Structures are given as structure tokens and as C-alpha cells.
């Protein structure tokens, strides 16, 4: 087929292939969710249905794209990791990023009514996204640890902040000043002394964030003639609120990083 004289414009496209044999992490984050959460009257500091909606979108991601082997979400963000050997869109960065963001966002809108049957969505949600490649399992483990530590710090601060504002009638400025310079232990103490609240008893979805991954589950596929169940191991996408900083989780789920 003859080339048209216009075809040279294609040569302006830049190659954006991601490094081979590295973990591809895509993190998306709600754009201006400070306003989106206010307009939609999300509960403060955590709206469990808003978090469940995010988790449901992540489940849809893992079911649609088999190369995504693990994901972690908190607040208005979610991170997805594609397996090292993934050849998804020939590892082209812009393709991987745009598909992740658009598929997630479309699900968010489509599933809204399942989680907020009484609420019409106010404002159009959108998510930004970035791609980072990590060369070692250690780097990747540290990535999840970084996000989960962030979750803990933010959630503990926000819990204190909103307890002071909503239950003690402090202004936002006063609450800020009270919390300035406090350490983890001080905040636990404040919650316990002033509100009789034990931070570690808060729901794990708030304290730990959410992991979505494929777990091995036993499934009954049929029964023999004598009525005995025939079981088979199947991989099923699950949501759990586990600690991803300690070794335990990774030892219990070796197939995630070992492939
Ligand atoms: P950005 O990401 O730079 O476009 O701006 P924001 O406003 O999305 O800021 P970000 O991502 O740093 O912080 C997330 C915001 O979303 C934060 O203001 C609190 C809000 N948000 C997230 N989850 C919840 C929730 O469950 N309940 C409430 N009330 N707010 C939430
Ligand atoms: Mg945001
Ligand atoms: Mg955020």
C-alpha cells in the first residue's frame, strides 16, 4: 500500500515502552475529591460506602485485566500492580495508564447507584494517574508499606480532627492547633481520654485500607454418585484489609510476588 504524503506525522509519536522485567505500578487518585466528597455528603472522616465503591471498581479491574495481580486502595486513591512479565499493550505507558484510569472511572459512575441508591451523584468524578516501574520485590513491598503507613497517619489524624470538630465543637483551626506536633501515641491517648475511643478497635477498612487480589479458594465443582463433594482450587478476586507491611501477608500469599 502506498504511503500518503501525510504519513510522516506518525514519526512524531514518542516511544513510551516501560522497562522490561519490572513491576508496573499504576496509581490513580480522585481529582478534587475534597469537593467531590463534600458535594456528595460523604461521612467524615470515612464514608464506608464510598470506600466500598472504590473497592468494587478495583475488583472489576482485576477481573477484567488478568495481568493485575494485586491492588491497594485508601481514601480516593488506588494502586494496581501488573506482573513483571506483563506484555499488556506491549508495556506502552500511555496505553496502560489511560486504560486503567478510564476503566476505573467508568466503573465508578456505573456502580454509584449500587452503593448510594438514595443519592444522585453530584459533580462528574475524574481520576489522575501515574505509572512507576519497580525493579525488585523489595522495592515493591516498600511501595505498599509506604501507602499503608500513609493511610495510618492520615486516618489517625483525620479521626482526631473530626472528633474534635464534630463532638467537641472545636473550630477547624482549633482542632489543627491541638493536633500540631502530636505523635501517634499522643493521638491514641487523646482519642481514649477525650472520647473513650480505642483507635485499634476502629474498622480495619479505615485503619488499614483495602487490598484486592486473587486468592485460592476451594470450590465444590460437583458431587460424586455417593454424594461426596468434589473440590477444586480456584482463584477468586477478594477484598481484605490486611497488614501489607509485615512479612505475614506475603508469606501466606506467595503466588502474588512469585508468579
Ligand atoms: P487532588 O487529588 O490534588 O485533585 O485533590 P483532592 O481534593 O482529591 O485531595 P487528596 O487526594 O489529597 O485528598 C482526598 C480528599 O478526598 C480529602 O479531602 C478527603 C476526601 N475524601 C476521601 N475519602 C473520603 C471519605 O470517605 N469521606 C470524606 N468525607 N472525604 C473523603
Ligand atoms: Mg485526590
Ligand atoms: Mg488522595
Amino acid at each position: 500500500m502506498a504511503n500518503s504524503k501525510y504519513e510522516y506525522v506518525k514519526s512524531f509519536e514518542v516511544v513510551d515502552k516501560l522497562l522490561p522485567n519490572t513491576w508496573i505500578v499504576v496509581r490513580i487518585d480522585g481529582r478534587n475529591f475534597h469537593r467531590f466528597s463534600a458535594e456528595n455528603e460523604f461521612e467524615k472522616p470515612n464514608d464506608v460506602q464510598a470506600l466500598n465503591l472504590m473497592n468494587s471498581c478495583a475488583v472489576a479491574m482485576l477481573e477484567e485485566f488478568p495481568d493485575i495481580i494485586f491492588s491497594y486502595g485508601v481514601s480516593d486513591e488506588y494502586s494496581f500492580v501488573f506482573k513483571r512479565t506483563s506484555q499488556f499493550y506491549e508495556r506502552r505507558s500511555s496505553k496502560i495508564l489511560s486504560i486503567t484510569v478510564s476503566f476505573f472511572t467508568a466503573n465508578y459512575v456505573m456502580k454509584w447507584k449500587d452503593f448510594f441508591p438514595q443519592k444522585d451523584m453530584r459533580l462528574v468524578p475524574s481520576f489522575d494517574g501515574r505509572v512507576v516501574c519497580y525493579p525488585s520485590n523489595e522495592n515493591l513491598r516498600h511501595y505498599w508499606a509506604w501507602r499503608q503507613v500513609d493511610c495510618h497517619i492520615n486516618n489517625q489524624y483525620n479521626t482526631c480532627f473530626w472528633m474534635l470538630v464534630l463532638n467537641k465543637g472545636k473550630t477547624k483551626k482549633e482542632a489543627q492547633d491541638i493536633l500540631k506536633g502530636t505523635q501517634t501515641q499522643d493521638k491514641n491517648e487523646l482519642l481514649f481520654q477525650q472520647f473513650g475511643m480505642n483507635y485499634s478497635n476502629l474498622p480495619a477498612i479505615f485503619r488499614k485500607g483495602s487490598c484486592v487480589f486473587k486468592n485460592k479458594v476451594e470450590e465444590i465443582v460437583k458431587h460424586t454418585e455417593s454424594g461426596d463433594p468434589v473440590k477444586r482450587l480456584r482463584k477468586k478476586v477478594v477484598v481484605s484489609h490486611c497488614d501489607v507491611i509485615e512479612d505475614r501477608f506475603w508469606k501466606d500469599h506467595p503466588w502474588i510476588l512469585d508468579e
Side-chain angles (χ1 to χ4, degrees):
M1 196 169 56
N3 291 342
S4 84
K5 69 170 180 175
Y6 306 117
E7 197 160 324
Y8 78 95
V9 295
K10 190 148 174 37
S11 69
F12 284 63
E13 288 182 15
V14 292
V15 180
D16 64 347
K17 269 189 162 214
L18 295 164
L19 271 185
N21 196 33
T22 53
W23 300 104
I24 301 170
V25 173
V26 180
R27 180 168 77 256
I28 66 170
D29 183 288
R31 179 183 139 261
N32 201 2
F33 262 45
H34 182 71
R35 173 142 183 249
F36 186 84
S37 58
E39 291 280 335
N40 288 296
E41 295 170 345
F42 284 2
E43 277 179 33
K44 291 173 167 89
N46 291 295
D47 188 303
V48 75
Q49 281 305 86
L51 297 173
N52 286 334
L53 169 56
M54 293 285 286
N55 293 345
S56 174
C57 296
V59 169
M61 289 285 302
L62 267 84
E63 284 171 347
E64 180 79 8
F65 306 114
D67 280 8
I68 301 178
I69 46 143
F70 180 82
S71 69
Y72 175 78
V74 50
S75 180
D76 66 340
E77 71 167 63
Y78 238 102
S79 302
F80 300 92
V81 64
F82 291 72
K83 61 183 182 187
R84 244 181 212 293
T85 52
S86 177
Q87 288 305 318
F88 191 51
Y89 282 95
E90 298 163 321
R91 297 178 78 89
R92 289 165 68 186
S93 177
S94 54
K95 293 266 189 187
I96 291 173
L97 181 59
S98 54
I99 279 169
T100 302
V101 166
S102 61
F103 189 87
F104 190 96
T105 310
N107 270 279
Y108 193 93
V109 174
M110 198 175 70
K111 290 170 179 282
W112 176 269
K113 275 280 164 196
D114 298 344
F115 292 87
F116 296 109
Q118 320 288 358
K119 276 187 198 174
D120 286 332
M121 185 163 47
R122 303 240 180 96
L123 300 178
V124 176
S126 52
F127 291 82
D128 70 49
R130 71 195 69 189
V131 185
V132 185
C133 290
Y134 290 105
S136 71
N137 288 17
E138 189 190 31
N139 293 150
L140 185 63
R141 286 261 322 255
H142 288 169
Y143 177 81
W144 303 121
W146 175 49
R147 296 326 300 144
Q148 194 161 50
V149 167
D150 211 61
C151 167
H152 168 73
I153 292 169
N154 289 332
N155 187 61
Q156 205 190 25
Y157 182 92
N158 291 337
T159 304
C160 292
F161 180 87
W162 287 109
M163 287 303 282
L164 289 166
V165 172
L166 298 175
N167 291 12
K168 275 260 147 73
K170 302 286 180 199
T171 64
K172 290 181 180 175
K173 173 79 170 68
E174 284 166 344
Q176 247 172 25
D177 289 342
I178 290 168
L179 293 171
K180 196 176 268 172
T182 55
Q183 303 295 308
T184 277
Q185 203 45 46
D186 306 325
K187 292 194 192 75
N188 277 341
E189 211 46 39
L190 181 147
L191 288 174
F192 192 73
Q193 300 293 342
Q194 300 207 24
F195 306 101
M197 184 191 242
N198 189 340
Y199 182 77
S200 56
N201 289 343
L202 280 180
I205 187 174
F206 302 159
R207 288 181 296 111
K208 300 281 183 197
S210 301
C211 307
V212 176
F213 55 94
K214 288 196 193 84
N215 212 359
K216 287 181 181 159
V217 291
E218 249 189 7
E219 196 185 49
I220 297 170
V221 281
K222 61 176 181 188
H223 289 85
T224 60
E225 275 173 24
S226 53
D228 296 327
V230 177
K231 291 175 184 166
R232 198 187 53 181
L233 269 186
R234 200 173 65 89
K235 282 200 180 156
K236 186 175 183 284
V237 178
V238 295
V239 181
S240 94
H241 315 291
C242 20
D243 186 311
V244 293
I245 302 170
E246 301 295 326
D247 291 337
R248 173 93 267 156
F249 174 81
W250 304 102
K251 286 208 172 112
D252 288 348
H253 305 85
W255 57 90
I256 296 177
L257 293 183
D258 293 350
E259 296 172 63

